[in-house]
């Protein structure tokens, strides 16, 4: 492989924006608030923060070290850094997993576009609609055969288009504009949300911990959520890091991305929960929170401020669509990079092939809410199976293998060299604890999580 021909990101800012774009997604806006709602508010957030810092950042950095050092995606990177060993098979796992995720993820991405279009046509903030009507409408929409498929195709099509244009012209340009925009949008929504009468209960809920709800399972969910939210364990971060220039500061990029991701999840929580409380709704609404409960909140606001509620509903679904797109792009890119690096297929062809494969699996996932709802794999619909297989199983396994590789297989000097750019950046004090986390804390904790996950089920 001629490494000189491989594209790179323009600089550190571009790499952070792309990685933060990957991290910030449906996980932050759709999953995080309802998980917080179900699992004890601030108590859940505390576990989430600890997991993110002690577990996920080390995994993130491990992926980054491998990708940046090898300048190849997972399969080629493993083969280059540990030639002739079975480590390269991790490249196959991390080829399949992001493609499975992007297939079902783009179904929800498609729902978000559908709701954005509805918001634009005033239907989401329609003041005459009751909560039951919003729920019924959402149920009818996702169980129908054709309409969700159209939006799934649009969502995946846009994703593929960005990936087709490559690193600089596609991913960098797209994420450089949309990631900062996401913060602007969520801040605008939060500002409005915090001014609603009765919103204070929502703030208290996010700040006051209820440890009685923090069961073992809730703690596992917090960790799983942190994995999913930081996009780790499936080679996406590794692939993005492989496009970083050699002298780029990895530690700053990793910590910067984690901070952006956490900040965004909290801002999304403060944008959503105060509005939920202001509308007098229970916070544990579950996965329907975004598509059933919030539209009802927009409708109730619509009775008082029709224009504002209309604008906020548009901003809200725009945020979700762009957040989801910057994540799906990173998943498709991980697959495309494998085909380009290893199979020497052109980027356009690789993108087209994977688009078609993911589209087909996504179609089945979408139909698993309607016509295929009785088709079960290990007791789950296809959509749930894909979600559980990738986020519970592959992400943890991938994360474990990445930290083990960096902590035990790579030479300590090489890890130091990569994290400090050959000693140019002086991290003497920070290197030791980071290396300790990678070598000991992260693997042991992951094994414990893994076992308890199997034992609980
Ligand atoms: N982190 C993304 C989100 O929060 C999802 C994701 C998972 C992206 C795995 C890439 C890889 O929505």
């Amino acid at each position: 492989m001629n490494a000189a021909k491989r594209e790179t990101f323009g600089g550190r800012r571009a790499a952070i924006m792309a990685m933060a774009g990957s991290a910030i997604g449906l996980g932050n806006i759709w999953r995080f608030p309802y998980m917080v709602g179900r699992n004890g508010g601030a108590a859940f957030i505390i576990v989430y923060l600890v997991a993110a810092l002690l577990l996920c950042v080390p995994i993130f950095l491990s992926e980054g070290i491998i990708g940046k050092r090898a300048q190849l995606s997972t399969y080629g990177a493993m083969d280059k850094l540990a030639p002739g060993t079975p480590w390269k098979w991790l490249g196959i796992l991390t080829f399949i997993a992001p493609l499975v995720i992007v297939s079902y993820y783009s179904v929800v991405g498609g729902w978000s576009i559908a709701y954005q279009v509805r918001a634009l046509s005033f239907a989401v903030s329609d003041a005459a609609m009751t909560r039951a009507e919003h729920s019924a409408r959402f149920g009818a929409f996702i169980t129908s055969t054709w309409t969700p498929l159209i939006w799934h195709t649009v969502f995946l099509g846009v994703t593929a288009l960005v990936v087709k244009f490559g690193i600089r012209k596609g991913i960098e340009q797209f994420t450089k504009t949309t990631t900062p925009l996401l913060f602007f949008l969520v801040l605008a929504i939060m500002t409005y949300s915090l001014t609603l009468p009765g919103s204070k209960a929502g703030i208290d809920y996010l700040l006051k911990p209820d440890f009685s709800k923090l069961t073992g399972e809730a703690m596992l969910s917090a960790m799983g959520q942190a994995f999913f939210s930081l996009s780790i364990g499936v080679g996406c971060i590794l692939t993005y890091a492989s496009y970083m220039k050699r002298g780029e500061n990895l530690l700053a990029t990793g910590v910067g991305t984690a901070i952006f991701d956490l900040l965004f999840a909290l801002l999304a929580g403060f944008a959503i929960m105060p509005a939920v409380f202001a509308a007098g709704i229970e916070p544990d609404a579950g996965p329907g929170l975004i598509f059933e409960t919030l539209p009802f909140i927009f409708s109730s606001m619509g009775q008082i401020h029709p224009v504002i509620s209309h604008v906020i509903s548009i901003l809200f679904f725009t945020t979700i669509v762009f957040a989801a797109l910057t994540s799906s792009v990173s998943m498709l890119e991980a697959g495309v990079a494998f085909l380009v690096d290893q199979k020497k297929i052109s980027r356009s062809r690789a993108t087209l092939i994977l688009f078609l494969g993911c589209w087909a699996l996504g179609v089945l996932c979408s139909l698993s809410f309607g016509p295929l709802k009785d088709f079960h794999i290990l007791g789950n619909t296809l959509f749930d199976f894909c979600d559980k297989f990738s986020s519970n199983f592959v992400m943890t396994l991938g994360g474990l293998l990445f930290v083990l590789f960096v902590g035990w297989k790579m030479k300590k000097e090489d890890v130091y060299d990569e994290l400090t750019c050959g000693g140019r950046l002086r991290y003497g004090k920070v290197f030791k604890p980071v290396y300790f986390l990678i070598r000991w804390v992260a693997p042991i904790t992951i094994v414990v999580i893994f076992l308890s996950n199997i034992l609980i089920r």
Side-chain angles (χ1 to χ4, degrees), residues 95 98-100 102-104 106-107 113 149-164 325 328-329 331-337 339 345-364:
F95 169 65
L99 297 176
V100 171
V102 76
S103 306
Y104 75 82
S106 83
V107 173
I113 302 190
L149 293 188
I150 297 172
W151 296 116
H152 157 62
T153 310
V154 173
F155 183 88
L156 200 58
V158 177
T159 305
L161 205 65
V162 175
V163 172
K164 180 200 161 304
L325 277 172
S328 60
V329 161
M331 302 174 208
L332 195 62
E333 175 58 31
V336 167
L339 292 186
I345 296 177
S346 77
R347 173 166 281 274
S348 306
R349 266 191 76 193
T351 310
L352 182 65
I353 295 170
L354 296 185
F355 166 79
L356 292 174
C358 296
W359 180 81
L361 180 58
V363 165
L364 297 176

Side-chain angles (χ1 to χ4, degrees), residues 22-23 25-28 101 105 228-229 231 234 236 327 330-331 395:
S22 169
L26 293 171
N28 303 58
I101 302 181
Y105 198 87
F228 187 82
S229 190
S231 313
V234 286
C236 292
S327 299
S330 72
M331 302 174 208
M395 284 190 143

